[in-house]
Amino acid sequence: MYIEKQLKKRRLPDLFTFEDGRKVTAENADERRAEFREILQREIYGEMPVLPDFVRGEVIKEPADRDCAGKAKISRIQLTFSVKGEEFSFPFWLVMPRLVRMPRFVVAINFRDNMPDEYIPCEELIDRGIGFAAFCYKDVTSDDNDMTNGLAGVLAKVGYNDTGKLAMWAYSASRVLDWVLENCDIDRQNIAVAGHSRLGKTALVCGAFDERFTCAYSNDSGCSGAAITRDKQGEQVAFISVRFDYWFCKKYHDYSDRHHDMPFDQHFLLAAIAPRNLYVASALEDTWADPESEYLCCVAAGEYWKLYGKTGFVYNGERMANVTEVFHEGCIAYHMRSGVHYWSREDWNKFLDYFLK
Ligand code: GTR
């Protein structure tokens, strides 16, 4: 079939063979996923910090009666945690529907600190009974190669000198969840982490490393996110590992001009999320991210869910996705909408259709 042929041309490293040559079976599928996480830390994202010594939060803004037309409670929490004895603190928004007792929950990693925000349609989420937390990634650490500020500075002090910033933002989303699980009544069987673009890459890393998230949702994440790297169109390792070197560990640069030598590809990241749910969204005109490589990555990773007796990705093998369809049948869901690189309401609504199933 057409899709399988396209995938074969990418010559991907095998998900089903350990680095020591052993074959992966249903019995050792979790062990291989642990190896995916090791490989991803070693080759691309850098070392994920240890769990914090403690996490605590202080309410710095109480909800108001008219929040979201009176349908929600919006509070602001200042979160503090410590890693190897060094403390760090940043704020997040907590938005809970007033009438839902145990809401499904999303941790959204955002570009801005607004609530609502053009990327976070607060009322749509609330109207569908979802509770959520959102934070601005720059409150964790700046989006540049300054490794002295925020969490980057804290981690450098305690000996993490090669953790990329995507991993830091992902780690922080997990700390938000630590607090939420301690302090809010939410449906623990349905917790997603979500992000767009560089923060879509971040959401995937978070989902791969933190199994409390039952779903990871990446929107237009592209290169070093949900797209296959080998022979992808648009952005490539040669660009991203130079322009955004600080998102990654140093080793990733080695693959700049030889990505065919990488002992992994992005389907390792997606497969690390198995057997939980994964949502990948693309946009037709987002050629820099490359929707085709995102779709193919779902096809490649989907095989891994079979080890758990689950259906991975249910797709059309004859062609790429078009903008009118959604693929919501399997544990990996996908849609491609019309338009450009953006986190649109259509993306959220389609994701929520799947998350609320
Ligand atoms: C671009 C970058 C992409 C994507 C995007 C974004 O400049 O090359 O990988 O992350 O930024 O985050 O909007």
Side-chain angles (χ1 to χ4, degrees):
M1 285 202 290
Y2 173 76
I3 292 297
E4 283 73 18
K5 267 195 207 142
Q6 295 305 308
L7 191 56
K8 231 178 167 173
K9 287 189 199 155
R10 304 292 183 105
R11 289 183 286 132
L12 296 180
D14 185 17
L15 290 175
F16 300 97
T17 310
F18 281 93
E19 292 205 293
D20 65 8
R22 278 180 301 136
K23 288 288 162 208
V24 179
T25 62
E27 284 65 46
N28 58 28
D30 283 346
E31 186 189 340
R32 174 67 166 154
R33 282 195 307 116
E35 187 170 88
F36 291 152
R37 290 194 289 264
E38 271 168 35
I39 295 169
L40 293 164
Q41 290 182 86
R42 187 184 76 210
E43 305 286 343
I44 170 165
Y45 303 112
E47 189 180 353
M48 195 52 95
V50 287
L51 291 177
D53 313 311
F54 69 82
V55 176
R56 65 165 188 264
E58 187 196 340
V59 180
I60 52 173
K61 186 184 168 300
E62 297 282 352
D65 292 347
R66 292 168 66 82
D67 286 344
C68 257
K71 294 181 282 190
K73 288 183 178 180
I74 305 183
S75 34
R76 195 157 165 77
I77 316 288
Q78 185 72 26
L79 190 77
T80 303
F81 61 87
S82 127
V83 187
K84 295 192 173 178
E86 282 292 324
E87 279 190 25
F88 176 65
S89 175
F90 71 103
F92 71 88
W93 292 105
L94 176 70
V95 183
M96 296 294 267
R98 282 191 188 257
L99 295 183
V100 184
R101 210 173 51 81
M102 296 256 280
R104 296 185 181 202
F105 198 84
V106 178
V107 177
I109 313 163
N110 198 18
F111 287 86
R112 291 163 297 270
D113 186 30
N114 308 332
M115 184 53 62
D117 179 73
E118 62 183 298
Y119 279 177
I120 312 278
C122 186
E123 214 170 322
E124 266 91 343
L125 282 146
I126 284 301
D127 288 348
R128 299 190 68 177
I130 303 289
F132 67 97
F135 65 93
C136 172
Y137 76 134
K138 286 184 183 162
D139 285 334
V140 171
T141 182
S142 62
D143 190 359
D144 57 26
N145 57 17
D146 176 357
M147 287 289 178
T148 61
N149 72 82
L151 183 58
V154 164
L155 292 180
K157 264 194 209 161
V158 298
Y160 291 98
N161 296 310
D162 200 21
T163 298
K165 289 204 171 179
L166 298 178
M168 295 183 200
W169 296 319
Y171 182 81
S172 303
S174 289
R175 304 298 63 88
V176 169
L177 183 60
D178 292 342
W179 186 87
V180 169
L181 288 174
E182 279 290 309
N183 294 279
C184 309
D185 259 344
I186 63 163
D187 173 357
R188 290 170 183 246
Q189 304 311 314
N190 289 286
I191 306 175
V193 55
H196 164 69
S197 201
R198 65 198 66 185
L199 302 176
K201 310 181 210 296
T202 303
L204 293 171
V205 173
C206 180
F209 282 83
D210 188 341
E211 306 239 348
R212 298 171 303 173
F213 288 103
T214 62
C215 183
Y217 163 28
S218 112
N219 200 74
D220 302 354
S221 64
C223 190
S224 320
I228 288 174
T229 305
R230 284 168 169 76
D231 301 330
K232 91 180 271 303
Q233 301 297 301
E235 187 169 34
Q236 294 176 359
V237 188
F239 177 88
I240 202 169
S241 72
V242 174
R243 170 68 183 80
F244 299 109
D245 54 343
Y246 56 91
W247 287 353
F248 308 102
C249 66
K250 296 183 185 69
K251 179 114 184 261
Y252 196 41
H253 311 167
D254 295 352
Y255 301 113
S256 193
D257 51 0
R258 48 179 196 96
H259 62 250
H260 273 284
D261 294 342
M262 298 191 312
F264 72 103
D265 206 303
Q266 295 308 116
H267 61 322
F268 280 37
L269 176 64
L270 304 193
I273 294 164
R276 295 162 293 143
N277 289 348
L278 164 65
Y279 199 102
V280 175
S282 309
L284 183 63
E285 292 174 51
D286 190 5
T287 49
W288 186 240
D290 188 4
E292 182 161 328
S293 292
E294 294 180 325
Y295 186 76
L296 290 177
C297 200
C298 293
V299 174
E303 295 300 304
Y304 208 79
W305 271 254
K306 292 184 183 159
L307 292 173
Y308 294 93
K310 295 201 161 194
T311 307
F313 187 35
V314 181
Y315 58 97
N316 183 335
E318 299 304 335
R319 55 171 175 77
M320 291 296 158
N322 67 44
V323 296
T324 58
E325 62 198 339
V326 295
F327 297 92
H328 285 182
E329 309 264 292
C331 295
I332 302 181
Y334 179 89
H335 76 250
M336 182 170 66
R337 63 161 169 80
S338 61
V340 298
H341 189 71
Y342 194 87
W343 204 357
S344 78
R345 290 174 182 214
E346 178 181 351
D347 293 314
W348 272 109
N349 282 324
K350 286 180 170 166
F351 161 70
L352 290 176
D353 290 344
Y354 180 71
F355 189 51
L356 289 167
K357 270 217 299 191

